[in-house]
Amino acid sequence: MMPSFFIAHGAPLLAIEDNEYTQFLSNLGKELPRPKAVVLFSAHWESAVQKVSDVNDYKTIYDFGGFPEALYRIQYPAKGDKQVAKEIEQLFAKHSVPYEVETSRGLDHGAWVVLRLLYPEADIPVISMSVNPHLTPEEQYKIGKSLSELREKDILIIGSGGTVHNLGAVKMVADNVQVDDWALDFDEWLARHLKDWDLESLFKYNSLAPTARLAVPSYGNEHFVPIFYAMGAADDQQRATLLHRSYRYGNLSHSVWQFG
């Protein structure tokens, strides 16, 4: 059975960098069984109602500014898969998850930065999915759980975001600096409860986790919540494994969690 993943997409610069993290993701894509399709929940696509993309050919969205010109020349011409999109719709209907179909939106950098590192040939069909940071963690988990049987069909489910993502605290001009203690404290708390599949504590991370308000600020929780969608997709195999964790800019975490 295909596992599900939470993968940090970091800063857009990852798309043109060669470092420990980009090398890890490149190797991960080679080591995983080849999926039939990828279903990806992106922190950079927010909607009040769950969106399911049904797109033939994705355009590449450059939803950032002030970066090197090389980033804006990157193309990731992934294709969709109407059959998988229809299966997702049927599963949402079965589990009473409200949804809407999106037929024109391209892939934002939360999606294509990760996908390009995993599958540089853009030869795996993609179903892009929105997230709703205003739902409770329980509701986000339920949405992921409703799609769990897709993993039996060799479909890879990914939540793309960041466990520690506070743009007001990152030190973009000081890359290789000591990691802030508050970022480490939050990630260590998270790791303990993920490995125990302690949903009761994880669903209350905002009040229980140390330094949660720094690691997951209220204005940026959309980057954290994809982890609940990815976890829910592996509810039938409640096992969490930390595959990689590193940091940039003092506190921006590059975490990769495998579920199932």
Side-chain angles (χ1 to χ4, degrees):
M1 182 180 292
M2 189 73 72
S4 62
F5 290 89
F6 174 82
I7 300 178
H9 60 250
L13 287 170
L14 281 178
I16 56 173
E17 293 177 327
D18 180 11
N19 56 43
E20 174 190 4
Y21 187 48
T22 62
Q23 291 169 16
F24 172 81
L25 290 180
S26 177
N27 289 331
L28 179 63
K30 296 172 185 175
E31 293 168 359
L32 286 174
R34 183 177 175 85
K36 174 185 176 183
V38 177
V39 175
L40 188 144
F41 291 88
S42 173
H44 286 276
W45 187 8
E46 297 179 51
S47 66
V49 177
Q50 180 63 52
K51 300 281 190 177
V52 181
S53 64
D54 188 354
V55 175
N56 290 324
D57 300 283
Y58 287 100
K59 296 180 180 179
T60 305
I61 301 175
Y62 308 100
D63 51 336
F64 46 77
F67 288 95
E69 181 61 28
L71 273 176
Y72 304 92
R73 293 197 296 266
I74 291 175
Q75 296 286 321
Y76 191 77
K79 295 185 179 299
D81 188 311
K82 288 187 174 295
Q83 178 182 342
V84 176
K86 183 58 67 177
E87 288 184 50
I88 291 170
E89 294 172 42
Q90 291 170 347
L91 288 170
F92 281 160
K94 175 182 176 181
H95 294 279
S96 301
V97 175
Y99 71 91
E100 294 176 354
V101 177
E102 168 59 52
T103 60
S104 62
R105 188 180 190 275
L107 292 177
D108 58 68
H109 83 272
W112 64 258
V113 168
V114 169
L115 291 171
R116 186 168 176 267
L117 288 166
L118 292 173
Y119 305 112
E121 301 301 318
D123 55 354
I124 307 290
V126 177
I127 309 299
S128 186
M129 308 283 281
S130 66
V131 299
N132 184 352
H134 302 294
L135 294 178
T136 64
E138 292 94 333
E139 292 169 319
Q140 293 153 351
Y141 187 95
K142 176 189 173 183
I143 291 173
K145 182 178 178 180
S146 71
L147 303 180
S148 62
E149 68 184 67
L150 293 177
R151 295 170 43 237
E152 300 175 6
K153 302 178 180 180
D154 297 326
I155 294 173
L156 177 61
I157 299 175
I158 296 174
S160 170
T163 57
V164 180
H165 187 276
N166 185 335
L167 294 183
V170 295
K171 307 174 180 72
M172 290 296 292
V173 296
D175 187 355
N176 296 313
V177 295
Q178 183 174 347
V179 182
D180 292 330
D181 288 341
W182 59 265
L184 290 171
D185 289 346
F186 179 81
D187 267 342
E188 285 300 318
W189 181 92
L190 182 63
R192 290 195 299 273
H193 293 281
L194 285 174
K195 290 175 181 178
D196 290 339
W197 212 270
D198 180 4
L199 296 179
E200 182 177 356
S201 296
L202 290 167
F203 289 165
K204 298 176 182 176
Y205 75 91
N206 199 37
S207 59
L208 295 181
T211 69
R213 292 186 180 181
L214 272 174
V216 188
S218 58
Y219 64 82
N221 70 324
E222 77 284 343
H223 274 74
F224 182 70
V225 300
I227 203 166
F228 293 124
Y229 294 85
M231 278 191 81
D235 181 77
D236 54 342
Q237 292 180 309
Q238 297 186 355
R239 182 171 61 250
T241 305
L242 179 62
L243 300 184
H244 177 92
R245 188 170 71 200
S246 57
Y247 296 86
R248 300 284 294 281
Y249 317 119
N251 51 63
L252 185 65
S253 66
H254 290 160
S255 297
V256 177
W257 282 93
Q258 176 177 314
F259 301 118

